Amino acid sequence: MVWIRLTNRRVIALKSLIHIIAGLWLVQTFYAAISDQLAGDPVEILLHFTGIGALNLLLLSLSLTPLAKWQRQGSWIALRRLTGLWSFTYALCHFLVFILFELQLEWQLVASEIIQRPYITVGFSALLILTALAITSISVLRRRMGRSWQKLHNTVYIAVLLIMLHFTWSLKTLELQILIYAIITGTLLWFRRNKLAGFLIKK
Amino acid sequence: MRIKIKKPSDLTDNDVTDESIYKNRRQVLRSLGYVGASALLAPHAKAFNWFSDDDEPAFKRRPLTYQSDKNDPQTITPEDKATSYNNFYEFGTDKSDPVENAQSFNVNPWTLKVDGLVNKPFSIDFDNLFTRFPLQERIYRLRCVEAWSMVIPWIGFPLAQLIKQADPQGSAKYVAFQTLRDPKQMPGQRNRFVGGGIDYPYVEGLRLDEAMHDLTLLTVGLYGKSLPPQNGAPVRLVVPWKYGFKSIKSIVRISLVEQQPPTTWNTLAPHEYGFYANVNPTVDHPRWSQASERRITTGGLLARNRIATQMFNGYEEVASLYAGMDLRRLY
Ligand code: HEM
């Protein structure tokens, strides 16, 4: 069953829509935080908003390949790079909120938190992976890297597992939300099990 | 984009007796343009929550008469922050859940039982909570174990007055507190996932000498009025030198006991939350530092509000209660 036929024009429309939603939402939330319009603690609200936003966008990005296969329409894959880059943008904002507004540039604290607190270490590792993927998504680099590009980009599955660990660890107690995310992540990894198995064996 | 934020301390006025002043302060901020323009773009954080329904009528709070706390120079946290950013897992684990889910919480009738190792056990009903003891305002710092803090004008009476009326027996060494258990009214008690998997009812405890300290306040109001449900209506504890989770909300029972009573967070994660839970910048939570905190007042995201955490949250007068104790071990 094919939902819609993804013509080139529709791909462009979908891309624009993703840019507009992800971009405006981010700007609006930061603007509200800066002008003290968020009820409660703006720092925590932003940490949650950017953290969950980055994860949602990453999961969306990872669901595009299974979707393309199921729909027998390769054009869905055209949306993968931009959702991945938006995920990286949200994750970067998440990190910046943490060091700029949570720890307020107390560098000693920044260093000790990243090294000493396992859940921050894990989040930081995930961010490093996402950064590597974002940089190498530039077309020139992609072409230059040849086959190793694919190998590098397979580490996105490691990143998603690290992020789930980071998320779970950041909570004080068990919450429904984390179970829903675990199920979604598990399902996505299951779809890609053959590829992942190959990836693990080759290493 | 740079938005100039006035230092919160510039706006302080010490005389915080009634609500109009808090409202006024917001008006001042508005007219200075700090809040104004952006209201057009984002009227409320709820704008981001597609699933929220706004039609629940707000809980009715009654104005209180009390002796006000005149000589405190601290910058008060705005009332709307103190009443919309709460940890009260009975109404959900997110900090905005309690204000959204608790507005229809029914607190009248209410019975607070005082029993256990006492010669004169008694009960207090709803109206009695506000009349049995003279009410006083206390402006206290509230330091959450999550490394943020607020400054809140509470209204209540020293717990010591209530305990004295009950006439404790010689064998009483600890005081045990219990929150209401009412799954019909508290969604977190109905569903493990909403309530964070905690075994309800929520319980807390103090050593008798801690409970009798003059700073320990049984609280029925804040910002000039009775407590809203998200802050623990109709009666809660406030122990300002301990992490916030010790200040148990919506209390139905206070019992004097001989042994150290079980306490909720300590039972859930003993290596993270101790029985004493005194604010202590030298003992970190396993997952984050307790050396400093973010003080939530006004100013939004750009406010430079990270400050050093003080031993006993700055209430040095309680230090003698712990003379000779190893507070690194008994955290
Ligand atoms: C250096 C990197 C990172 C740091 C320092 C960091 C820091 C934090 C902190 C302090 C929290 C807890 C917020 C709170 O409960 O108050 C948190 C939660 C979270 N983080 Fe990160 N994080 C990092 C990387 C990431 C990355 C790369 C992602 C996803 C792509 C991510 C996703 C999340 C999520 C989903 C949460 C849970 C938010 C919630 O509970 O609503 N984090 N992070």
Side-chain angles (χ1 to χ4, degrees), chain B residues 86-322:
Chain B
N86 310 93
N87 277 322
F88 197 175
Y89 281 24
E90 280 82 344
F91 293 103
T93 51
D94 210 81
K95 291 205 178 42
S96 58
D97 286 342
V99 68
E100 279 170 24
N101 299 337
Q103 293 312 307
S104 53
F105 184 49
N106 188 12
V107 296
N108 188 4
W110 192 269
T111 311
L112 168 60
K113 267 205 303 207
V114 184
D115 62 3
L117 302 172
V118 294
N119 294 319
K120 296 182 201 145
F122 59 89
S123 296
I124 305 185
D125 67 17
F126 181 76
D127 287 312
N128 222 225
L129 284 171
F130 304 96
T131 53
R132 190 171 183 121
F133 303 95
L135 299 181
Q136 32 179 297
E137 182 183 51
R138 299 272 183 97
I139 300 175
Y140 281 159
R141 299 177 286 279
L142 175 90
R143 170 62 158 79
C144 180
V145 72
E146 297 165 355
W148 52 268
S149 61
M150 293 186 178
V151 182
I152 300 175
W154 305 103
I155 297 160
F157 49 88
L159 176 64
Q161 292 182 4
L162 176 132
I163 293 179
K164 275 188 202 134
Q165 274 197 0
D167 191 11
Q169 297 169 1
S171 53
K173 295 283 181 295
Y174 291 89
V175 185
F177 304 84
Q178 188 181 315
T179 295
L180 177 72
R181 201 187 105 81
D182 185 354
K184 277 211 189 73
Q185 292 209 71
M186 294 172 150
Q189 296 181 340
R190 273 202 303 275
N191 182 325
R192 286 186 70 74
F193 293 118
V194 178
I198 288 177
D199 269 331
Y200 292 106
Y202 193 94
V203 287
E204 258 306 334
L206 294 173
R207 231 167 47 191
L208 186 56
D209 58 344
E210 297 175 321
M212 297 300 286
H213 195 281
D214 180 59
L215 283 173
T216 306
L217 198 70
L218 210 54
T219 303
V220 296
L222 39 63
Y223 297 87
K225 289 195 206 161
S226 60
L227 291 168
Q230 62 272 28
N231 295 79
V235 59
R236 66 171 292 169
L237 187 68
V238 177
V239 194
W241 72 91
K242 290 174 181 284
Y243 292 122
F245 66 86
K246 294 296 286 183
S247 293
I248 181 170
K249 301 187 173 94
S250 303
I251 306 172
V252 291
R253 186 167 177 205
I254 299 178
S255 299
L256 280 89
V257 295
E258 194 169 353
Q259 306 288 330
Q260 178 177 308
T263 59
T264 293
W265 281 100
N266 178 241
T267 309
L268 200 71
H271 58 291
E272 297 193 336
Y273 312 99
F275 171 80
Y276 283 96
N278 291 318
V279 174
N280 186 345
T282 66
V283 177
D284 283 349
H285 185 281
R287 284 182 282 155
W288 56 84
S289 164
Q290 295 290 25
S292 56
E293 68 203 45
R294 278 184 313 99
R295 171 66 50 83
I296 298 170
T297 53
T298 49
L301 186 61
L302 303 186
R304 280 277 160 269
N305 57 7
R306 186 161 279 277
I307 55 176
T309 292
Q310 308 290 320
M311 188 66 206
F312 300 121
N313 203 18
Y315 298 96
E316 291 292 337
E317 57 264 51
V318 301
S320 58
L321 296 175
Y322 308 102

Side-chain angles (χ1 to χ4, degrees), chain A residues 43-45 47-56 58 87-88 90-92 94-95 98-99 102-103 113-114 119-128 130 159 163 166-168 170-172 175 177 181, chain B residues 85 94-95 146:
Chain A
V43 179
E44 186 177 300
I45 293 171
L47 263 181
H48 287 210
F49 168 75
T50 51
I52 293 284
L55 180 57
N56 285 343
L58 193 62
S87 171
F88 166 70
Y90 272 63
L92 191 64
H94 181 72
F95 179 58
F98 185 70
I99 58 173
E102 173 74 47
L103 303 185
E113 292 289 288
I114 290 178
Y119 88 100
I120 300 287
T121 317
V122 164
F124 191 69
S125 316
L127 183 65
L128 291 182
L130 293 186
I163 290 162
H166 166 75
F167 187 1
T168 314
S170 81
L171 302 175
K172 291 204 301 187
E175 289 175 19
Q177 198 186 25
Y181 274 103
Chain B
Y85 186 75
D94 210 81
K95 291 205 178 42
E146 297 165 355

